[in-house]
Amino acid sequence: MEPIHYRRVLLGGLLASVVLLVGEAAMIACLHLRLMAAREAAKLPMTPPNPVLGTAELLLTGVFVVWLYAAVRPRFGAGWRTAVRSGVGAWFGLVLLSTIHMVNDDFGIPTYLLIVIAAWMLPCVVAASLAGGWLYRE
């Protein structure tokens, strides 16, 4: 079994984070009015997002996606198919399960909107995995 090269994971994670940032920014641009209306209807505070926490979340998510690719690469081989598999796995663990949790706990955000966000994030996470996996080399 080949060891994971953590410098490459970090570099790929940075690239994956940029891809995630672009995908999330596009989602927010498209759904901004619906998101704000849902927050207001749920009586959630209209506080501005914390840029430090948001940046940390994106970086950790990008690094995790590339780490997962590096971890499954010895089993499935290098390439885009493995990156897609690891991206779908990361989406399942990071996005789908948290969406199910939010629907179950009824935070006041409409279920359809949570499902739209989760569906939007699937190609974003897979694209991040493809980009980070492209940069990662053994």
Side-chain angles (χ1 to χ4, degrees), residues 6-21 24 53-71 83 86-87 90-91 94-95 121 124-136:
Y6 288 100
R7 285 187 183 165
R8 287 293 188 167
V9 168
L10 290 175
L11 287 174
L14 287 173
L15 180 59
S17 297
V18 170
V19 172
L20 288 170
L21 177 65
E24 285 185 13
L53 289 177
T55 302
E57 178 190 8
L58 273 176
L59 287 173
L60 289 172
T61 302
V63 169
F64 173 74
V65 167
V66 177
W67 174 84
L68 186 60
Y69 169 77
S86 66
W91 174 83
L94 296 171
V95 178
M121 288 310 296
C124 295
V125 175
V126 169
S129 182
L130 285 164
W134 172 77
L135 194 57
Y136 180 82

Side-chain angles (χ1 to χ4, degrees), residues 23-110:
E24 285 185 13
M27 177 191 64
I28 291 169
C30 289
L31 299 177
H32 178 71
L33 295 177
R34 288 185 184 158
L35 291 170
M36 291 299 109
R39 287 182 64 90
E40 187 175 320
K43 308 244 186 290
L44 294 172
M46 294 294 175
T47 58
N50 185 331
V52 173
L53 289 177
T55 302
E57 178 190 8
L58 273 176
L59 287 173
L60 289 172
T61 302
V63 169
F64 173 74
V65 167
V66 177
W67 174 84
L68 186 60
Y69 169 77
V72 301
R73 185 178 155 147
R75 180 174 181 93
F76 296 113
W80 67 270
R81 286 184 182 97
T82 301
V84 169
R85 286 178 179 162
S86 66
V88 170
W91 174 83
F92 183 86
L94 296 171
V95 178
L96 183 62
L97 293 178
S98 64
T99 301
I100 291 169
H101 173 72
M102 287 190 287
V103 168
N104 183 52
D105 286 352
D106 191 26
F107 284 110
I109 305 293

